[in-house]
Amino acid sequence: MKHYFLIFLLIFLSCKGDVKKEISSSDASITIQESETLNIVPIDEALGELFVAVQLGEVFPDSKTFVDCTAKYPYAEILSEYKDQKNTSDFDLKKFVLEHFEVPMSISSNFKSDPDKTAAEHVISLWPVLKRESDGKVEGSTLLPLPEPYIVPGGRFREVYYWDSYFTMLGLVESKEYELIENMLDNFSHLILTIGHIPNGNRSYYVTRSQPPFFSQMVKLLAQEKGNDIYQKYKEALRKEYEFWMDGSTVQNGAKNHCVATPQGIVNRYYDKGDTPRQESYKEDFNQVQEVNGGEKMYRDLRSGAESGWDYSSRWFADSENIETIETTDIVPVDLNALLYGLEEVLMLCYTDDVKFKERLKTSMNDRIKFLDANSWNPVEGVYEDYNWVKKEKTGIKSLAMVYPLFFKMASEEQANSVANIIEVHFLKSGGVVTTLNYTGEQWDAPNGWAPLQWMTIVGLQNYGHTELAKTIAQRWVTINEKVYRNTGKFVEKYNVEDMGLEGGGGEYPVQDGFGWSNGVYLALKSYLE
């Protein structure tokens, strides 16, 4: 646990300051001065043996429930009482927890849909249910307070999530909720400029990692609606996020943090600084690692898999089948490097007068294309694959990560045509496109389809003129969304695209309803088809 303590201590020291936040749509940039000290106390450190007892003792079916609880009394006081009482004959751990903590509710699970509403009307009616107003600081809570309103995904996901929010915003654009989009961008800027990056979500237990860096695409989305001044407003935050991902770029050999040195230049990997069980999945990680006598490397690979957003997928497994062989930090992912190419592209728009920085960005963008062509492109199969920089070979896993270079227009026409053919022949199913071709029981593998990957695929194909295939995918995805809505009254987190009569499965928790990114992509695709 000492690693966690050091990480949070460093964050705490780096975020102290006397600050005032000034954000308005007319600002040329954002200036951040914080009035409060960001004092993050990791709950597993604070509660020690009580935390371990609760998580391994399965007091709650879902490990995330306990870390989202709000302590009614100071952690030190609760821990002291636990130590005094734990060995008494009538001690009941669950009763103790319920007496000392407030248990959170799931978001939207009890929302009653109106059967007379269309699916689109239902989604629009859910925005207020999924909306959270600005947060006040709450003692004993793991929530990192945000200054402006935001949308949460729903279900067990009671906080804002980084990459989810881009796809949610696609629907907010269709609902003309531009102010709410800007509020969410202000929140992400606040996180970047206080914590140093956008965490997985606004919880203290997420700060050791980020998620796929879609912030630049969110800024681009709002700029398309409100003009190029938006780029100037968020330029400082965008640059600081870039420096977070590029911290370690001076490495000459091997890897450091998110950076990997290659003959083509610096590229990026997913990398969580923690090397202990995830607090929100403590039992799952602990048992997984103990089962195979794994160690700190395996914990970090599990955490880094969570940073990828694809938690979990055969993409990260050495044998392409079993999570016990996870090796996330050994892999240079296609999607991450395409996303950072997209961030560099937006930074070029933000810093038009900074010749030296623009040259650095241009060089990096060219290096990324060279890397993908040299190491990720499989000319025999006609697909992009992730690259294992340790083994110096492609992973051999076909996944929808292959569409990201098409989304960001990094592929040649020949490459794009080949990817389109692979998608049509192998990935297209009755309900949309499947995530991978591997059946591992993990939620980011077959037979599941996910809203964000439908969108990335459709736009990527559209960029290269594959309009009919793009429309077919869109129509099939909209159809499965509407079918599940008719049958259940809900939009859910993921769908079984191979059997439209079955729910999506796999993962560490049941299928969640709400659901932010499914709602957003549905509205955007309805508009696209119309």
Side-chain angles (χ1 to χ4, degrees), residues 239-254:
R239 186 163 184 168
K240 187 159 187 176
E241 180 181 48
Y242 184 60
E243 299 304 340
F244 164 77
W245 286 97
M246 297 305 290
D247 180 26
S249 60
T250 57
V251 66
Q252 298 295 312
N253 294 293

Side-chain angles (χ1 to χ4, degrees), residues 132-193:
R132 294 293 164 268
E133 297 303 328
S134 57
D135 305 310
K137 185 177 179 181
V138 178
E139 292 296 331
S141 172
T142 58
L143 192 71
L144 301 176
L146 295 175
E148 304 294 344
Y150 55 92
I151 296 289
V152 302
R156 75 199 284 266
F157 302 109
R158 310 169 184 92
E159 48 284 310
V160 79
Y161 280 80
Y162 181 5
W163 77 308
D164 293 57
S165 296
Y166 170 68
F167 301 98
T168 300
M169 287 176 186
L170 296 173
L172 292 174
V173 167
E174 297 303 322
S175 301
K176 302 192 184 313
E177 293 278 0
Y178 305 126
E179 182 180 358
L180 183 52
I181 294 172
E182 193 158 2
N183 288 337
M184 293 173 72
L185 288 179
D186 291 347
N187 286 334
F188 286 136
S189 296
H190 169 78
L191 289 168
I192 292 170
L193 295 169

Side-chain angles (χ1 to χ4, degrees), residues 264 341 361-371:
Q264 292 75 33
Y341 178 96
L361 293 169
K362 190 174 180 181
T363 298
S364 183
M365 291 171 73
N366 288 333
D367 288 347
R368 292 188 196 281
I369 292 176
K370 289 176 185 175
F371 174 85

